[in-house]
Amino acid sequence: MSESSPLPEDVLPAVRRLANGVTVVCDSMPGLQTLAVSVVAGRGARYEDAARCGWSHLMEHMVFKGANGRSAQEIVEAVEAQGGQINAATGYERTSYQVRALEGGLDLGLSTISDLLFRPTLSPDDLAKEKQVIAQEIAEAADDPEDRVFEMAQAAAYPDQPLGRPILGTVESIGAATPESLADWRARLYPPNALVVAAAGAVDEAELLELAERDFGPQAAQPGPALSYPPASFDGGAVAEADRLEQAHAVFLLPAPAATDPDYFALRLFAEILGGGMASRLFQEARERRGLAYAIDAYAETYLDTGLLGVYAGCAAKDARELAQVVAGEIASLARRVEPRELARAKAQLKASMFMGRESPLARAEHAAGQLLIFGRLLGPKELARRIDEVAAEDLQRLGERMVSQGRAAASVLGPKGALPAAEVFRRSLAA
């Protein structure tokens, strides 16, 4: 939003904390007939050791097999009978359980998620079946070249670390889980001080607090053994695998600031200028001018203590080396000079994405939970817009130098043999 049309002052949703440490946030959106509730645990795959790799995702699957005396079918039928939808997602640092519903569906949504988190059945028969399901999910990811090349790049960036291991785990690590060991892991994953109950849309704060106390109060969430993770280290490296594919797939990574770093917004803008859209440098240079790739884009991924700048591209094997050089060259060029027009475009795109997301109750609930888990407070749209606008070209140049000068790039290439050298070509070109 331009300076001529300033945002109104932020009026932030109310945040409350239950006696046992569960955080509750209510973001009412007048005029809506729907709501979303998201219960987010600040725990995920990053908290696993190698022996438990994939257990957080397995736990997410298992709770849906039955809870508090209800079967999997009974759980979903109860939610869908009221027009609702239920889902869940596991990441490296967070696990979220979400219900979208019509107005009036908050009671059912919260009680259902509470059952999933605190009263899952965890039967041996269900566990055996779900291990087979996840084994197929792992196989499906291995068969998808885009999934596989991202997994390879993550492992190259963070070798022998939780952030470098797949969220899905391995067939061997999943196979080692028992109902008893999963019950212990559940207690570790979902302690009250790591939970945020966030609701947005057609919700009333008083009702939310009453229901949250009922479903997530001291009687529901007892603290389990503490969990921690080792500090991340972006080591970098190159990995390439030959596969019978028509196209080569490549991911190029650089170490970047963490979510709480002052350069966070500079990183988001750097990625936007580099490859965030059709007007980005990489799209124009690699696709429009040279015809090297049909798909190419850049992105920023941040964690609590580390981050990465990434570029994904799909190209013909014969073009992979040149494409790697172009990506490295555009990163280095952006670190030297940022044009005012492209910085202005990137700021407009980033703010547009932020404001469009606020039109969705589920997105607002998820964003609120994420902010509370990362920063311990909410950041309103005016504050976010101001912090985006404050980023100067010099900040992006300084950030670019910071990322490139570390000399720890990571790259992965999957596809025909002729494309495989592109991983090392990127690392050498960046260091030149």
Side-chain angles (χ1 to χ4, degrees):
M1 190 168 290
S2 68
E3 294 182 2
S4 61
S5 54
L7 287 168
E9 291 296 325
D10 285 330
V11 179
L12 299 177
V15 179
R16 302 287 185 262
R17 192 177 299 274
L18 303 184
N20 65 344
V22 173
T23 301
V24 182
V25 56
C26 180
D27 189 359
S28 298
M29 302 170 67
L32 267 65
Q33 284 74 52
T34 64
L35 62 88
V37 58
S38 181
V39 179
V40 184
R43 300 284 188 273
R46 186 175 183 183
Y47 290 78
E48 301 163 351
D49 55 24
R52 296 185 180 94
C53 181
W55 282 26
S56 302
H57 177 255
L58 173 61
M59 190 72 242
E60 175 218 311
H61 273 236
M62 281 300 299
V63 301
F64 281 94
K65 304 302 290 183
N68 199 21
R70 291 190 292 173
S71 69
Q73 183 174 348
E74 289 170 334
I75 291 170
V76 297
E77 282 185 347
V79 174
E80 293 181 2
Q82 292 194 15
Q85 300 172 354
I86 188 167
N87 205 350
T90 301
Y92 279 110
E93 295 182 331
R94 292 195 290 276
T95 306
S96 66
Y97 293 84
Q98 313 137 4
V99 170
R100 299 173 64 191
L102 297 172
E103 185 175 5
L106 186 62
D107 188 336
L108 177 63
L110 283 175
S111 63
T112 300
I113 296 176
S114 175
D115 284 345
L116 297 181
L117 265 62
F118 306 129
R119 291 169 287 278
T121 305
L122 302 182
S123 80
D125 288 344
D126 286 338
L127 179 57
K129 294 174 186 175
E130 210 58 27
K131 286 179 180 180
Q132 293 181 323
V133 171
I134 293 180
Q136 293 304 310
E137 191 175 358
I138 292 170
E140 182 182 26
D143 286 343
D144 186 321
E146 288 191 27
D147 284 352
R148 178 64 183 144
V149 78
F150 275 101
E151 185 178 295
M152 291 162 55
Q154 193 83 7
Y158 301 104
D160 301 317
Q161 301 174 59
L163 285 180
R165 294 194 284 265
I167 291 174
L168 297 180
T170 66
V171 172
E172 293 74 21
S173 61
I174 293 298
T178 66
E180 295 75 22
S181 61
L182 275 184
D184 174 72
W185 188 244
R186 183 205 59 78
R188 293 169 180 257
L189 276 181
Y190 309 137
N193 63 341
L195 292 179
V196 176
V197 178
V203 291
D204 174 76
E205 182 183 1
E207 180 190 17
L208 174 62
L209 286 173
E210 180 181 351
L211 294 174
E213 182 65 44
R214 180 196 70 184
D215 295 326
F216 295 87
Q219 75 282 3
Q222 298 299 324
L227 273 183
S228 61
Y229 56 83
S233 173
F234 188 112
D235 294 344
V239 58
E241 290 186 9
D243 202 338
R244 287 188 170 183
L245 300 172
E246 293 297 321
Q247 189 180 48
H249 299 264
V251 173
F252 308 109
L253 302 177
L254 284 179
T260 56
D261 192 285
D263 277 334
Y264 169 79
F265 288 101
L267 172 63
R268 293 288 303 274
L269 293 169
F270 195 103
E272 182 67 35
I273 294 171
L274 180 65
M278 295 175 66
S280 67
R281 291 193 179 190
L282 284 176
F283 191 94
Q284 288 299 313
E285 184 63 26
R287 173 173 166 159
E288 297 299 284
R289 295 192 184 97
R290 303 194 188 207
L292 296 176
Y294 172 73
I296 186 165
D297 60 81
Y299 61 95
E301 189 75 53
T302 55
Y303 307 102
L304 291 173
D305 62 344
T306 185
L308 53 85
L309 173 73
V311 173
Y312 163 78
C315 66
K318 65 181 180 59
D319 296 325
R321 297 189 193 201
E322 183 181 355
L323 181 64
Q325 292 173 328
V326 168
V327 173
E330 291 300 329
I331 292 173
S333 174
L334 183 51
R336 290 192 298 269
R337 177 170 173 76
V338 180
E339 297 293 340
R341 59 176 176 75
E342 58 186 357
L343 180 56
R345 178 192 68 83
K347 289 180 177 181
Q349 286 292 313
L350 188 53
K351 285 187 282 186
S353 174
M354 177 181 69
F355 295 144
M356 290 175 186
R358 289 185 58 79
E359 297 175 2
S360 160
L362 180 58
R364 282 172 74 141
E366 288 274 301
H367 290 163
Q371 288 177 357
L372 289 167
L373 288 168
I374 295 171
F375 304 107
R377 69 182 185 91
L378 296 176
L379 286 71
K382 182 174 183 180
E383 179 181 355
L384 292 171
R386 174 180 56 78
R387 292 176 68 174
I388 292 170
D389 284 332
E390 287 174 347
V391 178
E394 293 77 12
D395 297 318
L396 269 67
Q397 292 167 343
R398 173 178 46 78
L399 170 63
E401 175 62 24
R402 172 183 172 185
M403 293 189 293
V404 173
S405 65
Q406 296 182 51
R408 288 186 282 132
S412 63
V413 176
L414 177 68
K417 288 183 179 180
L420 304 189
E424 278 295 351
V425 168
F426 171 75
R427 285 165 49 83
R428 289 198 304 267
S429 299
L430 203 60

